[in-house]
C-alpha cells in the first residue's frame, strides 16, 4: 500500500479543492488507515485514507479502492486526534527540570516555537493564555488548544507539551480550563495579596490584625537554613508583614486546590508576582511553608522579583540586587522541592544567564506577547503601508489599553514615524517605547471594526501571515532561540 504522502497527483485529480502540498512530518499510520495534513492554499485540512474514518467529515472520495476523507480542522477533530495520537494532546510537563511557556495570542506561532524548542533539552508549554488574553482576542480555551494540536501534528512534534490556564483568579476560571483539558493551572493570587502591609510599622500591623501566637512560636528566634550558606530569618515586624500580605492568598490557594486540583494530574503553579510590592526572600519562604502546611501541592511558584518585569522589553533594575535576591529565592524553592518561575519573561535577556546558572538548569519561564511583536515585525518588513496604519491606530488606543498593563512608556515618548523610510520601520520593534505601544494594544487592533461592521485589521493580517508563514516561522525561531540560548548556553 502506498503512503498517502506519495499520492499528491491523485489527490489533486479527485478532490474538489486541490491540495497544493502535503506536510510530510504530519504523516501517521493508524489502525484503519493513514493520515496527513494538507495545504489547500487559504486553509489546511487533514486527509485520512482508509476505512472507517474516525473523524467527523462529509467529503469522501475513493482512491485505489479505498475511501479518502477530507477532514476540517475543527474542535471535534482535535479531540479525536488527542485519542488517536496522544502526542497531539497536552500532558503534565511542569515537573520536568526545565519548562518554557510559549504563549501565542494569534494561534499561529507554535510551528516557529517548535523549530526553536527542538534544539534544547526543555519541555514546552505551547497552549498558554490568561483569561485577559482570551477575552481581548475573543477566543476560547478550546480554540487555543485546538490550534496548538494541529500545529503539533503538522510538525510531527512528539516530545510532549503542556497546556497552561494562565493567571486564573477564580474557581469558575480554573474549572473552565481544566474542563478544556489544560494540564496546568497558574493560580493568580494577586487579588488576595495585601501589599500595603509591607510599609506598615509594628504598631500599625498589630492594630490591623494581631500576629497569631502559633506563628510567633514557629518563626521567631530561628534561622531557617536552606541550601549552601543561605538562610532566612524573621523579625517580629517582617513576620507580621508576611502574615498580613500573604495570609489571605494562602487561604485562597488552598480553597482552589482542594476544590479542583487535589487528587488529579493537573499541575499547579502559585503566582504571587502580579503586585507592586516585591516578594522578599523571607516572605517567599513564609508563603511556601504555609502552603505546604496547608497541604497544597504545587510544582512552581512565581514571586514578584525586585526590579521591573514590564511587558515586551528587557529587565529594568539593578542586576546585582537581582542576582543576590534571586539566589535566595532559588534556595527557598529548592528547600521545598519546587521550581522557581519567572513570569513576564519575554525578552528579559539581561537576567536569563542568572536564571539559568543559579537554578542549575531547573526553572520555568513564561513568554507570551513577544510572538505577537515578531509577527508585527514581519508586517513592517513586507507590508509597510499596513504597518503604518495599525501603528497610527495603536497610538490612538494606547491610553485606554495601558489600563490593563504595567508599562513605563508615556504617549509623548512614542516615536513619530510619518517621516520614517519604509526600510527603517522594522527597527521600531527594537525600541522599548514602540514595543510596549504595540504589545499592549493587540486586543484593540485585532477587534477594531470598519463602519460596515467588518474587521479593520484582523482578516488582512491573518491573510498576510498565512502568505508569509515560512518567513514568520524563521523570524520566530531566531527570536526564541535567543531566549533559550541565554537560559541554556551549555545546551
Amino acid at each position: 500500500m502506498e503512503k498517502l504522502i506519495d499520492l499528491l497527483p491523485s489527490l489533486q485529480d479527485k478532490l474538489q479543492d486541490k491540495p497544493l502540498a502535503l506536510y510530510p512530518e504530519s504523516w501517521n499510520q493508524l489502525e484503519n488507515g493513514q493520515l496527513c495534513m494538507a495545504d489547500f492554499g487559504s486553509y489546511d485540512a487533514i486527509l485520512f485514507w482508509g476505512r472507517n474514518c474516525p473523524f467527523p467529515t462529509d467529503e469522501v472520495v475513493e482512491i485505489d479502492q479505498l475511501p479518502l476523507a477530507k477532514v476540517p480542522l475543527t474542535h471535534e477533530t482535535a479531540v479525536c486526534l488527542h485519542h488517536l495520537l496522544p502526542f497531539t494532546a497536552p500532558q503534565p510537563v511542569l515537573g520536568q527540570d526545565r519548562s518554557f511557556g510559549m504563549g501565542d495570542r494569534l494561534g499561529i506561532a507554535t510551528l516557529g516555537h517548535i523549530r526553536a524548542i527542538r534544539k534544547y533539552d526543555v519541555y514546552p508549554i505551547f497552549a498558554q493564555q490568561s483569561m485577559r488574553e482570551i477575552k481581548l482576542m475573543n477566543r476560547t480555551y478550546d480554540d487555543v488548544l485546538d490550534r496548538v494540536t494541529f500545529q503539533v501534528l503538522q510538525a510531527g512534534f512528539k516530545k510532549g507539551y503542556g497546556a497552561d490556564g494562565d493567571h486564573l483568579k477564580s474557581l469558575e476560571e480554573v474549572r473552565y480550563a481544566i474542563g478544556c483539558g489544560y494540564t496546568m493551572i497558574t493560580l493568580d493570587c494577586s487579588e488576595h495579596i495585601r501589599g500595603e502591609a509591607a510599609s506598615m510599622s509594628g504598631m500599625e500591623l498589630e492594630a490591623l490584625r494581631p500576629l497569631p501566637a502559633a506563628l510567633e512560636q514557629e518563626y521567631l528566634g530561628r534561622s531557617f537554613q536552606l541550601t549552601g550558606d543561605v538562610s532566612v530569618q524573621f523579625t517580629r515586624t517582617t513576620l507580621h508583614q508576611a502574615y498580613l500580605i500573604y495570609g489571605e492568598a494562602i487561604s485562597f490557594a488552598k480553597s482552589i486546590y482542594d476544590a479542583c486540583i487535589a487528587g488529579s494530574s493537573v499541575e499547579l503553579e502559585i503566582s504571587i508576582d502580579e503586585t507592586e510590592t516585591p516578594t522578599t526572600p523571607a516572605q517567599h519562604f513564609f508563603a511556601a511553608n504555609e502552603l505546604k502546611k496547608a497541604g497544597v501541592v504545587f510544582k512552581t511558584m512565581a514571586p514578584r522579583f525586585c526590579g521591573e518585569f514590564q511587558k515586551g522589553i528587557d529587565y529594568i533594575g539593578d542586576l546585582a540586587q537581582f542576582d543576590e535576591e534571586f539566589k535566595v529565592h532559588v534556595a527557598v524553592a529548592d528547600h521545598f522541592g519546587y521550581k522557581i518561575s519567572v513570569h513576564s519573561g519575554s525578552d528579559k535577556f539581561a537576567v536569563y544567564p542568572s536564571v539559568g546558572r543559579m537554578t542549575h538548569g531547573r526553572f520555568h519561564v513564561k513568554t507570551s506577547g513577544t510572538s505577537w511583536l515578531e509577527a508585527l515585525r514581519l508586517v513592517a518588513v513586507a507590508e509597510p503601508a499596513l504597518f503604518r496604519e495599525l501603528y497610527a491606530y495603536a497610538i490612538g488606543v494606547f491610553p485606554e489599553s495601558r489600563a490593563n498593563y504595567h508599562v513605563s512608556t508615556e504617549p509623548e515618548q512614542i516615536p513619530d514615524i510619518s517621516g520614517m523610510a519604509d526600510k527603517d520601520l522594522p527597527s521600531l520593534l527594537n525600541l522599548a517605547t514602540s514595543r510596549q505601544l504595540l504589545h499592549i494594544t493587540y486586543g484593540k487592533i485585532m477587534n477594531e471594526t470598519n463602519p460596515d461592521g467588518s474587521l479593520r485589521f484582523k482578516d488582512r493580517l491573518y491573510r498576510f501571515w498565512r502568505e508569509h508563514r515560512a518567513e514568520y516561522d524563521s523570524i520566530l525561531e531566531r527570536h526564541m532561540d535567543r531566549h533559550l540560548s541565554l537560559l541554556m548556553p551549555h545546551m
Side-chain angles (χ1 to χ4, degrees):
M1 182 178 179
E2 289 185 88
K3 272 194 174 184
L4 180 57
I5 54 177
D6 297 324
L7 294 179
L8 185 58
S10 299
L11 303 180
Q12 290 174 326
D13 289 340
K14 292 281 189 178
L15 291 171
Q16 185 175 353
D17 272 8
K18 311 302 180 189
L20 303 180
L22 302 183
Y23 300 114
E25 297 297 325
S26 69
W27 181 87
N28 280 271
Q29 180 72 54
L30 300 178
E31 183 178 351
N32 297 325
Q34 49 183 296
L35 65 79
C36 191
M37 285 186 67
D39 175 8
F40 286 84
S42 61
Y43 67 96
D44 293 330
I46 291 173
L47 298 175
F48 177 83
W49 191 33
R51 303 197 182 279
N52 302 317
C53 177
F55 300 101
T57 182
D58 57 6
E59 186 172 345
V60 180
V61 298
E62 189 171 283
I63 292 183
D64 293 348
Q65 300 181 331
L66 278 176
L68 175 80
K70 180 181 172 186
V71 182
L73 303 187
T74 64
H75 174 62
E76 291 74 21
T77 300
V79 171
C80 192
L81 274 173
H82 291 166
H83 292 289
L84 293 170
L85 298 172
F87 72 86
T88 66
Q91 58 186 260
V93 300
L94 199 59
Q96 302 290 337
D97 282 347
R98 287 165 296 283
S99 48
F100 194 82
M102 309 177 93
D104 174 15
R105 294 170 174 174
L106 298 170
I108 60 174
T110 300
L111 291 172
H113 287 157
I114 288 173
R115 286 173 55 164
I117 210 82
R118 273 180 163 152
K119 306 171 191 175
Y120 297 90
D121 182 15
V122 60
Y123 280 79
I125 295 176
F126 290 139
Q128 174 196 281
Q129 298 277 262
S130 68
M131 192 58 64
R132 175 174 61 189
E133 289 171 322
I134 290 286
K135 291 177 179 177
L136 285 173
M137 290 296 290
N138 290 321
R139 301 182 72 189
T140 65
Y141 271 139
D142 280 338
D143 170 60
V144 171
L145 183 52
D146 293 347
R147 289 177 181 245
V148 168
T149 296
F150 298 129
Q151 291 174 80
V152 165
L153 173 64
Q154 182 179 329
F157 183 79
K158 299 182 179 181
K159 180 176 182 176
Y161 72 93
D164 180 7
D166 190 22
H167 280 282
L168 303 185
K169 298 181 179 182
S170 70
L171 181 63
E172 293 73 23
E173 290 177 351
V174 171
R175 283 179 169 159
Y176 168 46
I178 293 175
C180 293
Y182 281 62
T183 58
M184 168 186 171
I185 295 298
T186 298
L187 187 62
D188 186 336
C189 302
S190 60
E191 293 180 356
H192 305 272
I193 293 173
R194 303 295 172 239
E196 64 274 11
S199 59
M200 290 182 177
S201 67
M203 292 181 61
E204 291 171 321
L205 295 167
E206 193 66 28
L208 185 62
R209 187 184 304 159
L211 180 64
L215 293 181
E216 290 186 55
Q217 295 172 3
E218 181 174 0
Y219 288 97
L220 294 183
R222 296 181 59 186
S223 178
F224 296 91
Q225 191 66 37
L226 308 179
T227 57
D229 60 349
V230 178
S231 61
V232 171
Q233 300 86 28
F234 293 86
T235 66
R236 181 179 177 82
T237 297
T238 59
L239 175 60
H240 207 157
Q241 288 171 337
Y243 165 64
L244 289 179
I245 293 171
Y246 295 106
E248 290 180 28
I250 292 162
S251 297
F252 167 68
K254 176 172 174 53
S255 69
I256 297 294
Y257 177 79
D258 289 347
C260 300
I261 298 173
S264 76
S265 62
V266 175
E267 297 176 311
L268 177 64
E269 171 167 286
I270 301 293
S271 167
I272 55 175
D273 68 301
E274 290 284 329
T275 66
E276 294 295 324
T277 307
T279 309
T280 68
Q283 290 166 359
H284 182 181
F285 180 92
F286 175 84
N289 193 48
E290 293 300 306
L291 285 166
K292 180 180 178 182
K293 286 162 54 181
V296 178
V297 179
F298 55 99
K299 297 289 186 179
T300 60
M301 183 185 288
R304 165 66 161 86
F305 301 113
C306 63
E308 296 278 356
F309 281 74
Q310 293 188 21
K311 303 298 183 181
I313 62 174
D314 210 337
Y315 174 76
I316 302 172
D318 185 330
L319 286 173
Q321 180 188 2
F322 176 84
D323 284 0
E324 181 180 352
E325 294 189 11
F326 189 73
K327 175 183 177 182
V328 187
H329 284 302
V330 172
V332 172
D334 287 346
H335 179 77
F336 289 103
Y338 58 86
K339 294 189 302 188
I340 201 75
S341 184
V342 179
H343 286 194
S344 297
S346 298
D347 312 299
K348 301 303 182 288
F349 304 114
V351 301
Y352 283 162
S354 295
V355 172
R357 182 181 69 256
M358 291 187 181
T359 61
H360 303 289
R362 189 169 180 268
F363 56 75
H364 181 57
V365 173
K366 287 193 181 190
T367 65
S368 181
T370 197
S371 60
W372 153 256
L373 291 176
E374 292 307 297
L376 294 186
R377 186 188 299 276
L378 181 58
V379 178
V381 170
E383 197 69 39
L386 176 56
F387 181 83
R388 289 181 186 276
E389 187 180 346
L390 65 84
Y391 188 90
Y393 173 78
I395 290 175
V397 299
F398 179 74
E400 181 182 354
S401 297
R402 69 186 302 203
N404 293 316
Y405 292 95
H406 175 54
V407 294
S408 57
T409 296
E410 297 294 336
E412 62 271 16
Q413 297 174 313
I414 297 171
D416 178 4
I417 67 171
S418 57
M420 184 178 288
D422 286 352
K423 66 180 178 61
D424 296 326
L425 292 177
S427 67
L428 292 165
L429 277 302
N430 301 328
L431 301 177
T433 50
S434 45
R435 284 183 69 82
Q436 290 196 326
L437 163 71
L438 296 168
H439 191 287
I440 70 170
T441 54
Y442 68 96
K444 294 286 188 181
I445 290 171
M446 296 300 284
N447 289 291
E448 174 65 4
T449 58
N450 294 309
D452 64 0
S454 61
L455 290 165
R456 179 176 174 186
F457 298 109
K458 184 176 181 179
D459 293 339
R460 282 190 290 165
L461 285 168
Y462 272 113
R463 282 195 299 270
F464 168 84
W465 289 319
R466 173 92 187 170
E467 293 167 0
H468 294 82
R469 285 179 295 168
E471 295 100 310
Y472 180 51
D473 292 346
S474 295
I475 286 175
L476 195 53
E477 177 188 7
R478 288 194 299 270
H479 189 62
M480 299 315 299
D481 187 74
R482 185 182 176 195
H483 289 69
L484 294 164
S485 64
L486 288 169
L487 282 164
M488 297 170 280
H490 59 290
M491 295 182 186

